[in-house]
Amino acid sequence: MAIAQLTEAERTAALAALPEWTLREDGLAITRTFRFADFAEAFGFMTRVAILAEKADHHPEWFNVYNRVEITLTTHDAGGLSKRDVALASAIDGFGH
């Protein structure tokens, strides 16, 4: 079954529910930057996200430097933002950071 890209209305509703996430300029992904006390804390966070992503079979694009983790979520099979991205962003937000 094909994964559908969110409609504009779905995207607007998703972003309202994910206030810390930003729609990328092209409208095809959401991004968020996390900051931690140090590298070990950032890496621990990335490990928790990796476990979630593996279980969901949906993997983030991310970048880490020392205490900063930048995450981009998009669904390549859908050609943009999908419910899978929203679900993973919501799960990541559940870590309480």
Side-chain angles (χ1 to χ4, degrees), residues 11-26:
R11 189 174 63 210
T12 299
L15 287 169
L18 299 167
E20 300 294 324
W21 293 81
T22 304
L23 187 64
R24 196 170 65 189
E25 223 174 85
D26 63 8

Side-chain angles (χ1 to χ4, degrees), residues 4 8-9 16 23 34 38 45 60 62-63 72-73 81 85 90-91 95:
E8 188 171 337
L23 187 64
F34 296 83
D38 55 28
F45 168 78
W62 54 11
F63 178 77
T72 298
L73 298 175
L81 201 59
D85 304 304
S90 180
F95 288 145

Side-chain angles (χ1 to χ4, degrees), residues 18 21 30 32 34 73 84-94:
L18 299 167
W21 293 81
I30 53 176
R32 183 172 175 192
F34 296 83
L73 298 175
R84 296 180 83 188
D85 304 304
V86 174
L88 187 55
S90 180
I92 292 168
D93 284 353

Side-chain angles (χ1 to χ4, degrees), residues 12-80:
T12 299
L15 287 169
L18 299 167
E20 300 294 324
W21 293 81
T22 304
L23 187 64
R24 196 170 65 189
E25 223 174 85
D26 63 8
L28 300 177
I30 53 176
T31 63
R32 183 172 175 192
T33 299
F34 296 83
R35 295 195 189 283
F36 300 91
D38 55 28
F39 178 73
E41 192 177 311
F43 194 82
F45 168 78
M46 291 177 72
T47 301
R48 291 191 307 275
V49 172
I51 292 167
L52 279 178
E54 193 63 21
K55 287 180 181 177
D57 192 29
H58 189 58
H59 304 92
E61 298 173 11
W62 54 11
F63 178 77
N64 165 246
V65 173
Y66 184 60
N67 70 334
R68 189 178 79 238
V69 178
E70 298 171 11
I71 298 178
T72 298
L73 298 175
T74 189
T75 303
H76 299 286
D77 292 343

